[in-house]
Amino acid sequence: MSKAKTIFLLDHSTKTALNPGSLVDLETRSRTGIPTENVAKPVWTCMLEACLEYSRIVWDIYPNHCFIRYIICDDDALEIGLWDTASQNVNHFMNLLSSVRAASSDSMIGRCIPAALDSLSEPTENEKGGKIKNECRLICIGSFNDDKHVRNLEVMCQELLNQKNRDIITSGKGLAITCLSIIFLNVYPDHFQVSKVSEMLCVDQSLQTYTDVYSVRAGNLSNFMTALVLKHYNLTSTTVTGIPMKEEQNASSSANYDVEIFHPSAAMEELIRGDVAGLVYAVKEGC
């Protein structure tokens, strides 16, 4: 289900910042001919790369409609981005992420949940004025201790959400959160044999919150997040194959390459039905 607002709660503890998540094969040799050692990429780096790619896909396909913010869970909650179109781009987020300081010692996701709910109750540019059905998504990414750790965070989210909505109704300030999809994404290093966190799906009896729990190896996180964004925003992947490359001078043969395109599933359904009128439009006058 597509949500207008998504917040990533990113665990910036020593478990994510210092643990080697995956190895990068440089495939190079020194002048002596001795192969160089692979470089270890921290779990934290794997998390940021995957989140930025998820965000880029959303912003490219739904500009000015779907908004994303990050909260770095450190000693304090460091918020990245605003609910406005000007800050919703990869370059802006990368510039802000460059100011993130060294990691704290322990996971601070629990302490940052109130800040996330405060942000989700703020209106975006498109939500100012009129009645709004404030359906949101909260994605918590980190290295969790075990199932009990995740369950405690889930209960905390539900309790704080109920309190937040009561405060909004009483004060009349902010947007009550009508539905919250909570995702706990446990990321563990590639060299771990198994994850300490089980995958599960939980639905609140009031149908106000939905919780998904996943465990993913750091090296597979980017592919997993790509699959997740397709599910969240009802997108489809189409691959165009056999595209000829520009031939170089004196080339004896030409090579082809493939391009993967993400797009709304509805576009493919219309194409299959033969209804292409709404799929073709002019970018410039006369085109």
Side-chain angles (χ1 to χ4, degrees), residues 162-220:
N162 293 334
Q163 183 60 52
K164 183 64 180 178
N165 281 340
R166 285 195 294 267
D167 293 342
I168 290 173
I169 293 172
T170 301
S171 65
K173 297 179 181 179
L175 297 175
I177 300 172
T178 54
C179 180
L180 180 62
S181 174
I182 308 170
I183 297 169
F184 292 101
L185 187 48
N186 178 58
V187 185
Y188 60 99
D190 288 356
H191 64 271
F192 279 23
Q193 294 298 319
V194 294
S195 168
K196 296 180 180 179
V197 176
S198 307
E199 297 190 358
M200 64 186 77
L201 169 65
C202 304
V203 181
D204 182 29
Q205 295 301 318
S206 66
L207 299 182
Q208 188 180 23
T209 62
Y210 298 80
T211 304
D212 289 294
V213 182
Y214 303 100
S215 280
V216 185
R217 293 185 188 275
N220 296 331

Side-chain angles (χ1 to χ4, degrees), residues 38-56:
N38 293 335
V39 176
K41 183 163 55 174
V43 172
W44 173 251
T45 302
C46 297
M47 288 165 52
L48 289 185
E49 288 176 348
C51 291
L52 286 170
E53 180 62 10
Y54 179 108
S55 305
R56 183 194 65 79

Side-chain angles (χ1 to χ4, degrees), residues 241-279:
T241 62
I243 303 173
M245 297 183 68
K246 183 179 180 180
E247 295 185 11
E248 297 183 3
Q249 191 174 9
N250 302 323
S252 59
S253 61
S254 60
N256 296 335
Y257 66 98
D258 302 337
V259 173
E260 185 179 19
I261 302 172
F262 298 141
H263 55 83
S265 298
M268 179 60 70
E269 295 170 1
E270 292 180 11
L271 188 61
I272 293 174
R273 292 197 304 266
D275 183 12
V276 298
L279 303 179

Side-chain angles (χ1 to χ4, degrees), residues 2 9 16 18 44 48 58 73 84 91 94 117 119 133-134 143 146 166 235 261 269 279:
S2 179
L9 274 183
T16 59
L18 300 182
W44 173 251
L48 289 185
V58 174
C73 301
D84 61 1
N91 287 337
M94 289 184 69
L117 296 178
S119 295
K133 193 174 183 181
N134 191 22
S143 294
D146 48 32
R166 285 195 294 267
L235 304 176
I261 302 172
E269 295 170 1
L279 303 179

Side-chain angles (χ1 to χ4, degrees), residues 99-167:
S99 64
V100 176
R101 60 190 180 185
S104 62
S105 57
D106 298 313
S107 174
M108 297 292 177
I109 282 186
R111 289 177 54 180
C112 295
I113 290 174
L117 296 178
D118 288 344
S119 295
L120 291 173
S121 63
E122 298 172 2
T124 66
E125 289 182 349
N126 302 336
E127 293 176 329
K128 293 179 179 178
K131 277 194 170 183
I132 300 298
K133 193 174 183 181
N134 191 22
E135 297 182 343
C136 311
R137 180 178 290 111
L138 178 61
I139 304 178
C140 306
I141 307 181
S143 294
F144 303 108
N145 298 331
D146 48 32
D147 290 343
K148 182 179 179 181
H149 185 193
V150 174
R151 178 56 183 165
N152 288 341
L153 290 173
E154 179 193 7
V155 172
M156 183 185 299
C157 281
Q158 293 174 343
E159 292 176 349
L160 291 172
L161 173 62
N162 293 334
Q163 183 60 52
K164 183 64 180 178
N165 281 340
R166 285 195 294 267
D167 293 342

